[in-house]
Amino acid sequence: MTIRENLEQWEKEYLSPYATLSIHSKGRSRAEDQCDIRPVFQRDRDRIIHSKSFRRLKDKTQVFLSPEGDHYRTRLTHTLEVSQNARTIARALQLNEELVEAIALGHDLGHTPFGHAGERALDEICPFGFKHNEQSVRTTEILEKDGEGLNLTWEVKDGIRNHQTADMPTTLEGKIVRLSDKIAYTYHDMDDAVRAGILKERDVPREIGEIIGYSPRERLNNFIHDIVTQSKGSNDVRMSAEVELALKNLRRFMYDKVYSNPVAKCEEKKAVSLIQTLYRHYMNHTNELPKFFVELGFRGEPREKVVCDYISSMTDRFAIALYEKLYVPKFWMG
């Protein structure tokens, strides 16, 4: 028996009957020989961690654009917090932790620079629309490895695609990531807002705090324990009705106080304008795109999507530098 086969046997003996087993994966778009050490979902996780799009997350906005301070979340730290929360839940429920981790680490690979402001900018201007969850799958299938893609398993792509849509993921592991994403950004966005002086912990409405707590630690602990308690031994992953309502109310509170707060979002109009200006520029000057993206057009990909591919792959700093290069005059030195 290979090491991989031993690990697959361990999954069969230890994991919940509701877990997604590696040996039951629906497979990859392109058939591959199996690794002798790693089951398929562990292999997917490794591919994502070693991808260029994963590394770029460290310089992409979570909520606050270019914050002054070292401790605000980026898209990468958000992704790592989602992964940690999801793994804790998966382990407690005896579900497939490696599938959960692969989905969590890949769920935002296609996110734009400047957070949801960048996503909104492309969604408004591109006739095909733009959704970061769909772009994350597109990134793994088409853009990574110079067009070869990561060739991830069906289950991982399903979890990435459905982490933020009206449709639910097919696997329980995907459902864990979907909930963990909501918990993570509500939890850490409030923490960042308190750090920025936009909120105080005592601002949380009492009817919410009484259910899920008044500190970041209490809230995270209560969310995770509630999911585990409600889902243990069940073919579903869910929250109790009371905690789910509290989370929805907390997210509504965050939209009112943080996500639409002029102090936190004062630079977003500039970010939207920058993204849409770059989009119009490359729609009119497709020949200026990097060679790989030009070749995507030759392969039959719509020009609008190729331009979105290029812009969404940028980090905040690269997008700003490119805009300055194209549109900000420089002093001529004789």
Side-chain angles (χ1 to χ4, degrees):
M1 252 188 165
T2 65
I3 294 172
R4 186 201 78 244
E5 289 169 332
N6 280 326
L7 291 171
E8 290 170 343
Q9 183 63 33
W10 177 89
E11 287 183 1
K12 291 169 65 176
E13 294 173 357
Y14 175 77
L15 294 184
S16 161
Y18 306 114
T20 305
L21 302 185
S22 300
I23 58 171
H24 292 160
S25 171
K26 294 183 180 180
R28 308 180 186 278
S29 299
R30 301 189 307 275
E32 295 181 8
D33 292 335
Q34 288 269 36
C35 176
D36 62 335
I37 295 175
R38 298 166 298 166
V40 289
F41 301 137
Q42 182 183 347
R43 207 173 180 190
D44 283 1
R45 179 202 63 193
D46 295 351
R47 290 179 181 186
I48 290 167
I49 287 176
H50 290 292
S51 69
K52 292 178 180 177
S53 50
F54 182 78
R55 294 196 294 275
R56 289 195 298 265
L57 295 176
K58 68 184 175 66
D59 286 322
K60 293 194 179 193
T61 291
Q62 174 59 26
V63 172
F64 295 95
L65 272 64
S66 302
E68 294 292 333
D70 295 332
H71 300 127
Y72 293 92
R73 269 73 170 191
T74 65
R75 189 62 55 180
L76 178 59
T77 55
H78 160 74
T79 294
L80 294 175
E81 290 185 32
V82 173
S83 176
Q84 182 57 57
N85 295 342
R87 287 174 56 205
T88 298
I89 295 167
R91 186 173 296 183
L93 296 178
Q94 293 179 269
L95 296 177
N96 196 315
E97 196 173 337
E98 287 170 347
L99 174 55
V100 158
E101 190 173 17
I103 296 169
L105 294 177
H107 83 281
D108 272 353
L109 291 181
H111 219 298
T112 57
F114 310 118
H116 290 290
E119 180 175 25
R120 185 170 68 251
L122 288 182
D123 191 45
E124 289 173 356
I125 199 168
C126 177
F128 293 101
F130 183 92
K131 296 290 183 288
H132 79 269
N133 56 307
E134 296 171 1
Q135 187 67 22
S136 294
V137 175
R138 182 173 169 87
T139 298
T140 69
E141 291 185 320
I142 297 175
L143 305 184
E144 273 292 337
K145 298 182 70 175
D146 298 322
E148 182 182 335
L150 300 180
N151 199 28
L152 302 179
T153 55
W154 184 92
E155 292 77 11
V156 172
K157 291 188 291 186
D158 171 76
I160 292 173
R161 179 179 289 109
N162 294 308
H163 81 269
Q164 198 179 36
T165 64
D167 297 325
M168 291 295 290
T170 303
T171 65
L172 296 189
E173 290 81 0
K175 290 182 179 181
I176 288 176
V177 175
R178 182 184 173 95
L179 280 177
S180 296
D181 184 39
K182 294 178 181 178
I183 291 169
Y185 71 67
T186 305
Y187 156 81
H188 61 50
D189 291 355
M190 175 169 283
D191 188 39
D192 282 353
V194 170
R195 179 172 291 107
I198 294 170
L199 283 179
K200 293 182 173 60
E201 288 291 350
R202 63 175 178 268
D203 293 334
V204 177
R206 184 175 177 181
E207 62 272 19
I208 298 175
E210 287 181 345
I211 297 171
I212 58 174
Y214 289 96
S215 71
R217 180 178 179 180
E218 283 182 313
R219 285 190 291 270
L220 186 59
N221 185 64
N222 287 332
F223 282 137
I224 290 177
H225 274 81
D226 184 73
I227 292 171
V228 171
T229 301
Q230 295 296 315
S231 308
K232 191 73 173 173
S234 167
N235 191 18
D236 195 12
V237 175
R238 57 181 179 264
M239 289 179 167
S240 64
E242 182 182 44
V243 171
E244 184 177 20
L245 179 60
L247 176 60
K248 287 180 181 177
N249 289 337
L250 182 60
R251 291 173 65 196
R252 190 175 299 117
F253 168 78
M254 290 292 291
Y255 275 104
D256 292 341
K257 300 297 183 181
V258 177
Y259 302 140
S260 58
N261 185 293
V263 175
K265 312 308 267 182
C266 61
E267 299 297 300
E268 279 199 354
K269 288 184 179 180
K270 297 178 187 177
V272 169
S273 177
L274 184 154
I275 291 291
Q276 294 187 343
T277 299
L278 290 178
Y279 177 89
R280 285 189 287 265
H281 177 86
Y282 284 107
M283 284 297 294
N284 292 324
H285 303 89
T286 312
N287 60 306
E288 295 181 14
L289 288 167
K291 180 182 177 182
F292 168 71
F293 294 96
V294 173
E295 291 174 349
L296 275 182
F298 292 154
R299 284 164 46 179
E301 294 291 333
R303 179 174 55 169
E304 296 87 350
K305 285 197 172 186
V306 172
V307 172
C308 284
D309 288 337
Y310 182 44
I311 294 174
S312 65
S313 71
M314 297 176 185
T315 63
D316 295 16
R317 289 188 298 178
F318 183 87
I320 292 170
L322 183 59
Y323 179 89
E324 290 178 345
K325 178 182 176 182
L326 292 172
Y327 291 103
V328 178
K330 290 182 172 56
F331 291 106
W332 179 75
M333 301 293 289

